[in-house]
Amino acid sequence: MTAKTARDVPLVPEPTVALPSLRSTEGRLLWLSSVDHKQIGIMYILAALVFFLIGGIEALLMRVQLATPNGTFLSPQLYNQLFTMHGTTMVFLVGMPLVAGLGNYLVPLMIGANDVAFPRLNALSLWTLVFGGLLLHFSFIAGGAPAAGWFAYPPLSQRTFLSDSGVDYWGIALLITGIGSVGGAINLIVTIVTLRAPGMTYRRMPPFVWLTLLTSFIILFALPTLNATVAMLLLDRQLGAHFFTPYAGANPILYQHYFWSFGHPEVYILVLPFFGIISEVIPVFSRKPLYGYAFVVGSSIAIFFYSFAVWGHHMWAVGMGFWLDLFFAIGTFLIAVPTGVKIFNWLATLWGGQIRFATPMLFALAFLVQFTIGGVTGVQFAVIPFDRQVTDTYYVVAHLHYVLYGGSIFAFFAGFYYWFPKVTGRMFSERLGKLTFWLMVIGFNLTFFIQHVLGWVGMPRRVYTYLDLPGLAVMNLISTLGSFVLALSILTFLVSIVHALLRGAPAGDNPWDAYTLEWATSSPPALHNFAQVPPIRGRRPLWDLNHPELADYRRAGDAVGEGTGSRKEARTP
Amino acid sequence: MGDTPSFDPSSLDELVDINSIPWSPLFIFIMVVAVAISLLVAGLVAYSVRRFRARPGGGVPRQDFGNRNLEIAWTAAPAALVIFVFGWTFLTMRTTPTPGSDLPDGRRPDIVAVGQRWWWSFHYPESGVTVANEIHIPAGRRVLVQLTSDEVQHNFWIPELGQKMDMYPGKTNYLWLEAKEPGIYHGVCAEYCGTQHAWMRLIAVAQPEAEYAAWVRDQQTAPLPVAEPLPQLGRAIYIARNCGSCHAIATVSEGQAGPNLTHFGSRLTISAGVLTNTPENLAIYLRNPQAVKPGIFMPNFRLSEEEIAALVAYLESLR
Ligand SMILES: [Cu+2]
């Protein structure tokens, strides 16, 4: 054995291809050390999918336990850990990285940039997320996962009541991933503000970019609140501080205000980028432009502001007092409007179109209906007496899954299948895609629709078992069966990916005849994205390029004020 | 903030019937609207899917970028709808007695409920009665419940009798309860409170006034000592095993860490709903409470079968 010198250690070579092979050590090193926005985006999404499988398995275990009354499949302690981990995982390790990953991959391509503004910060954000996620799951073998619920209310989350280290892991993991999220948000904001190609004015930005921009601002303002709150909780637990300890005279309800003043904006973080996906997919597959671009963007700006003023609607059972309760009701009613009008915009986009039913479009259509259901039950909560009836029950569980699964995750799958040919250069099998879609629609609705009824008849959430009251057993069994259909759809999804990677036909640059710049480059995009950015004279540069006779900028009396008169146009590369 | 419009107790009967809240016109209205909107969207999607399906040779559809008037209209319509529902909510709240943190003027609570991990203790200040896990209320009369908690957060909810309200250590909330008809009503703890949150249930027994008054009198008197030898032995074991360090039985022990057992024999369930109260079930429970309701603060005493039989006879005699 000769001593190794620094020279013998393989250095990471400069990347030469967009997607280095995983077969060689060098290729794998290139991925690990990557500062390329596309690779980082892909890794974000892969990490999210891995955590999605973990969180999904946690959910399935819970559904097995609840399939019959007085189930003994899981101990109460384990069940409580599982629902805590399921919620935490799905919000922080699936939702957040999906948002970050989609933004990372797509935003530079969509605005005609070569990379994000701070590639190294980007890599740091990714790896903090992965590390935070691993740390959280390490708690399982380090004495027990957290069991305080994903919002970890004190006093229960104090050391006095949960003395093992689970909640500590939870707090530290959230701090770490929170830092990554803020870094990612700053990166995307700066990228969008400074790196747009000539001609890509704010008013021409694809809706997905707009919504990612707004989401990033929400992250920037909301996540620090969470981090500060979690830090206080950890100080209470570790150093005996008394931020939230009632026996030392502190008010634990303060924590709820802190938490939800992050938590409600968080809901919009987990929804707005997916509105962006829908606003890309529906127009392309209807062969029309997005109906009312300015309304979609403008209403999202309204959501951005409102989202910080409605957190109290998570707290109507607290006893905040009449007027404070009412204050939060007003905001909650009002925020429904800018959220709701988007549904009409998307419906109007469908109207009169030439709708192609490829897999991405199917997911987008299911999104429309399911998100609406989640939305209307959301507004119902603003009727405070109604909220006091259904809050903390399965009605809420049903509602939030209609919003975040039936809405966001369905939109994610729409986007996944839509951009898959771009990212990998391969087409997926439509048959597998459609099979996945139908299994998922059936499984999802079977699992969650009945939960509205469960909540209405009085089944509280977060119970490891329930009394055999009339109807409960049947409804829970239906829900459990549904969850297995849903799990099956995830399997066919994975099969469809593997199948496409191995057998998929080459996709070509623009298989969907789509509108935005990412479709101008090769599939997969070259290392530095574009050899040349096509001229940007409107919101749909590729449509203009491919349909010159119908180009947006030719429209007389341009109603949206786009396509004419920008000085930047002259500087087309 | 916080100054609730005060509720004049004498006019309570004119207030909205809390018992019927789940079926109040407001709730029915928002349910109908929710279903209608969902069906409208689903219908429009279904229609578009059939009507605007891409057909070979369909050509390029008209490139429609939007219509300002239409968009203003469909923004204004939902806005008007939510403002209307908000107004209705406001009026309902003014007339619906859910006092939350504010004690209605001039009222004293009829029942003081304290959430424990994972059971309930109830005290009737008027009559001095203390019970656990099961309350009795007069049917047709509205009772005011004061809610607090011992250590962690809980939430008091009897779906058919009223709304739910949180219970905190160091904070008091109030809630009205009313049962229109005599009967047995199931309630739960609705805020996650740790290991045995699922089995933190309660029962409200609503009785006609006269029956209720009799129940109160019963509760005020300690159960008569039973003469048979087995309950007598049970009582001795109860004392010898120090059960009284956690449990109270009038004239026998005064422990506070566990449910009051003074009239345990008359209760419908064991340990906040985990078992129905029968001698067989109580024996199962005492054999190992941790197997029945894992994680609770009632230890397994590894009692012998003889001890268990005697304790069961004693506890079930406490009516
Ligand atoms: Cu509880």
Side-chain angles (χ1 to χ4, degrees), chain A residues 232-250:
Chain A
M232 285 185 255
L233 185 65
L234 285 174
L235 286 174
D236 272 10
R237 286 181 62 88
Q238 292 296 330
L239 302 178
H242 293 299
F243 286 105
F244 308 119
T245 45
Y247 49 85

Side-chain angles (χ1 to χ4, degrees), chain A residues 147 317 355 385 389 391 540, chain B residues 52 54 63 163-164 166 173 192:
Chain A
I355 302 174
Q389 198 67 25
T391 188
R540 300 191 293 170
Chain B
F52 305 118
Q63 299 298 293
Q163 309 211 301
K164 64 169 77 63
D166 284 344
N173 276 337
Y192 176 60

Side-chain angles (χ1 to χ4, degrees), chain A residues 31 39-40 43-45 47 121-131 180:
Chain A
W31 278 95
Q39 291 178 27
I40 290 180
M43 287 189 283
Y44 258 124
I45 294 190
L121 176 63
N122 207 13
L124 179 76
S125 304
L126 166 71
W127 293 110
T128 48
L129 172 104
V130 172
F131 179 61

